[in-house]
Amino acid sequence: MTVFFQYLVNGIVIGGTYSLIGMGMTLIFGIMRIVNFAHGEFYMLGAYFLYTLWAILGLNPVLSMLFTFVLILFLGIGFEQLFLRPLRKESSTSSMLMTIGFLIVLQNAALLIWGGATQTVPTLVDLKTFSIGDVVFSTDRILVFLISLTIIIFTSLFIGRTKTGRSMRATFQDMEAAEVVGVNIERVYSITFGFGAALAAAGGFLLAPLFVISPTMGALATSKAFAVVTAGGLGNVRGAILGGLLLGVVESLGAGYIASGYKDAFGYLIIILVILFKPEGLMSRKRKKGVHA
Amino acid sequence: MLRVEDINTFYGTVQALHEVSINVNEGELVSLIGANGAGKSTTLRTISGLRPPAKGLITFRGERIDGLRAYEIVKKGIVMCPEGRHVFPQLTVYENLLMGAFTENNKQVIKQSLERVYAMFPILQKREKQAAGTFSGGEQQMLAIARALMARPQLLMLDEPSLGLAPIIIQDIVRIILELKKEKMTILLVEQNAKLALKLSDRAYCLENGKVSLSGSAEELATNPRIKELYLGG
């Protein structure tokens, strides 16, 4: 039983970061109706920005994360305005192909800047462990979970309580009505894409100290984001939060009890099962559209 | 107040409006009547910036507004209550109304608008925490009008407010339109129900196949033999 709880705790810690990545993807899909294939690349950039600001330049780690979040937010907004906005009148396929372009450019830019070798980012705090019962907790992982939780709560409040968040939900539910009441749809799109990318980056900088980082690390993150978003229901923010935790726990239990080599395969298993048996997502009672805070 | 001059509007390659010209004076209730597909809604959508004209001129208080984006036109004071209600289904009534005041940043003004709208539609206050999607068609129409009023429009454009509603609900909508008219709100009304529209309005334009075929005071149109035959049932 102790082993089970240990896996569960580990799964929830990693799951919190999956929630962030998934929330970012589900927001972008929900409002812009496009799948962001470069999602994992923003995740990768989050990791490398933290690496650069903290491990290389020696900035305070929390400040580095904050900077990274803001930088990726603006990078996302810039990409959206420069490259996606001109495609608005085209089919959504064009926009999705463009995000594949982002993927190629960002991955190669990272290779050029930071090189192909993997890097490590030091842990956020001095590594200490303590145990409750026989379940072991380590300080760095707890911190990762607390920061994830903070960003999740912050995002939920942003979407649920602020005027910008309300205009995002409104645009999602009825774009034309949003235009009619005076929402600048283009602005909503830019903010959504930037914010979604920043959430992916948050997942990246939180996981960076736990794993090694490389310019190609994004591919796996994108596939995990698909799993989270499929499980939670496309466009469902609350679903993405729970979907992320679910994926973290399933991976951890699967790796522990079945085979650790297949850890990354369990996400696909979730996608297949959800699509077969509950294609609208585990969180939705029935098929409906809408960004839920 | 509003002048629309010779506008052409297209949906893809299909021309929906041919040199349409209308004008609305301050404090007037003007309606556009005509059959389904005559271009009434397209005219409103063109004015509101959702479907910009390919040709022609639109001015509001002497200022050119064609080519402005929809949200900029709302800021100028032209607010549309769209056909088919288009309330935000998963937002609460309260949130829907706040969305209506999206272009207003003064909290005090928003609060006053809210009080005014609640006085006009008491049912909305009673159900302010309910999701708009759970409302009946009539209630959604009230909410859609209330939401448009939250923007404090100088020109209110109502697109088919009676469409698909039970006669008893239409009476409520009519009462509200008359109330707004009494307050000297400038209204541009699109209505398929020509009889109702002519009863309410000061002036009217009749559209046929994307062109203005007739215009004049409501009485003139109501007694015009052609209008009588085509739209008022003989």
Side-chain angles (χ1 to χ4, degrees):
Chain A
M1 217 43 195
T2 306
V3 177
F4 173 78
F5 280 114
Q6 186 68 59
Y7 290 148
L8 195 67
V9 166
N10 294 348
I12 288 174
V13 168
I14 303 295
T17 65
Y18 292 168
S19 299
L20 291 175
I21 304 167
M23 282 164 93
M25 181 170 269
T26 220
L27 271 178
I28 294 172
F29 179 83
I31 287 165
M32 306 177 71
R33 298 274 142 191
I34 59 164
V35 174
N36 177 20
F37 285 103
H39 208 60
E41 275 50 50
F42 290 107
Y43 161 90
M44 176 271 293
L45 283 183
Y48 271 99
F49 277 29
L50 180 74
Y51 166 74
T52 307
L53 291 171
W54 181 34
I56 296 181
L57 299 176
L59 225 67
N60 170 298
V62 175
L63 220 56
S64 302
M65 289 182 183
L66 212 61
F67 271 156
T68 301
F69 193 88
V70 174
L71 283 171
I72 302 290
L73 174 74
F74 282 105
L75 186 74
I77 289 176
F79 268 48
E80 200 286 320
Q81 295 191 345
L82 282 174
F83 305 114
L84 293 177
R85 183 168 293 184
L87 298 176
R88 199 83 76 223
K89 294 224 158 55
E90 314 292 327
S91 75
S92 60
T93 315
S94 308
S95 297
M96 287 197 255
L97 286 173
M98 182 59 90
T99 68
I100 294 177
F102 293 172
L103 179 162
I104 296 167
V105 168
L106 291 175
Q107 211 177 81
N108 284 287
L111 261 170
L112 206 63
I113 299 169
W114 292 288
T118 57
Q119 306 286 351
T120 51
V121 177
T123 52
L124 297 172
V125 284
D126 286 340
L127 197 56
K128 287 198 191 89
T129 56
F130 60 93
S131 41
I132 299 175
D134 288 326
V135 180
V136 182
F137 294 84
S138 70
T139 43
D140 63 333
R141 289 194 174 223
I142 291 212
L143 191 64
V144 163
F145 183 68
L146 288 180
I147 298 174
S148 304
L149 199 64
T150 308
I151 303 174
I152 289 169
I153 292 170
F154 164 78
T155 306
S156 299
L157 290 177
F158 171 66
I159 297 166
R161 301 282 166 82
T162 66
K163 188 173 174 183
T164 305
R166 200 186 310 124
S167 70
M168 284 163 75
R169 282 182 289 148
T171 304
F172 187 3
Q173 289 170 31
D174 194 324
M175 193 181 91
E176 185 167 310
E179 282 198 88
V180 160
V181 298
V183 174
N184 183 351
I185 305 288
E186 297 296 334
R187 195 171 152 266
V188 170
Y189 281 168
S190 294
I191 292 173
T192 302
F193 195 80
F195 198 74
L199 286 173
F205 64 59
L206 285 169
L207 285 179
L210 305 184
F211 304 116
V212 292
I213 65 174
S214 79
T216 51
M217 69 196 273
L220 205 54
T222 302
S223 76
K224 287 186 182 178
F226 285 150
V228 171
V229 168
T230 314
L234 285 167
N236 188 334
V237 175
R238 210 179 292 157
I241 298 172
L242 292 170
L245 294 173
L246 176 75
L247 178 62
V249 169
V250 167
E251 274 188 6
S252 176
L253 293 176
Y257 286 114
I258 301 170
S260 62
Y262 286 109
K263 181 179 147 261
D264 297 322
F266 294 109
Y268 296 107
L269 198 65
I270 292 182
I271 296 184
I272 293 166
L273 290 177
V274 170
I275 289 177
L276 279 178
F277 297 109
K278 208 163 183 313
E280 67 275 22
L282 300 173
M283 282 294 289
S284 340
R285 248 173 250 124
K286 55 180 198 297
R287 272 168 210 265
K288 56 180 180 183
K289 297 194 299 179
V291 173
H292 306 279
Chain B
M1 189 184 202
L2 176 80
R3 293 187 69 84
V4 175
E5 285 172 44
D6 296 325
I7 54 167
N8 286 351
T9 301
F10 291 82
Y11 285 104
T13 54
V14 180
Q15 187 165 3
L17 297 183
H18 301 264
E19 275 88 41
V20 167
S21 297
I22 61 172
N23 66 74
V24 182
N25 300 316
E26 189 135 25
E28 259 188 331
L29 200 166
V30 175
S31 55
L32 306 180
I33 58 172
N36 225 340
K40 309 181 300 288
S41 291
T42 305
T43 306
L44 291 200
R45 293 171 66 83
T46 302
I47 297 168
S48 68
L50 289 175
R51 181 63 60 172
K55 189 193 135 247
L57 194 76
I58 306 173
T59 60
F60 183 64
R61 296 193 185 285
E63 199 182 336
R64 216 171 147 170
I65 59 160
D66 55 282
L68 291 186
R69 303 264 311 282
Y71 74 92
E72 294 169 312
I73 287 171
V74 173
K75 277 189 188 156
K76 298 274 179 211
I78 303 179
V79 180
M80 177 163 80
C81 177
E83 181 181 349
R85 278 104 49 188
H86 281 281
V87 296
F88 301 111
Q90 281 149 42
L91 298 189
T92 63
V93 168
Y94 176 70
E95 285 180 313
N96 264 279
L97 293 173
L98 284 186
M99 282 310 296
F102 189 79
T103 52
E104 178 62 64
N105 288 316
N106 185 332
K107 287 216 167 89
Q108 206 54 43
V109 174
I110 295 175
K111 204 175 148 231
Q112 283 167 8
S113 308
L114 201 61
E115 279 167 10
R116 176 167 160 249
V117 160
Y118 278 157
M120 220 163 175
F121 307 89
I123 185 166
L124 296 182
Q125 182 159 26
K126 252 185 270 167
R127 304 168 76 169
E128 73 175 355
K129 293 208 165 60
Q130 208 170 317
T134 62
F135 272 29
S136 70
E139 289 162 341
Q140 288 190 10
Q141 186 62 59
M142 308 252 181
L143 178 57
I145 295 175
R147 185 182 64 188
L149 292 175
M150 287 297 291
R152 305 203 157 203
Q154 296 171 41
L155 170 63
L156 175 66
M157 302 197 294
L158 298 172
D159 195 354
E160 303 278 12
S162 78
L163 195 70
L165 299 181
I168 188 151
I169 313 282
I170 295 179
Q171 279 178 21
D172 279 336
I173 305 283
V174 165
R175 179 182 58 80
I176 289 149
I177 295 175
L178 288 174
E179 212 171 301
L180 293 171
K181 190 182 175 185
K182 212 189 282 169
E183 290 175 18
K184 289 282 164 218
M185 166 95 58
T186 312
I187 299 173
L188 180 56
L189 171 71
V190 158
E191 219 358 291
Q192 250 189 97
N193 182 342
K195 201 168 172 180
L196 179 68
L198 293 175
K199 206 171 78 188
L200 295 172
S201 34
D202 301 308
R203 286 191 305 116
Y205 293 83
C206 179
L207 276 100
E208 279 176 63
N209 302 320
K211 294 183 186 116
V212 175
S213 60
L214 272 169
S215 67
S217 73
E219 296 89 63
E220 275 166 31
L221 261 68
T223 52
N224 181 296
R226 187 173 157 76
I227 299 276
K228 266 177 144 169
E229 188 198 324
L230 283 174
Y231 306 108
L232 302 177

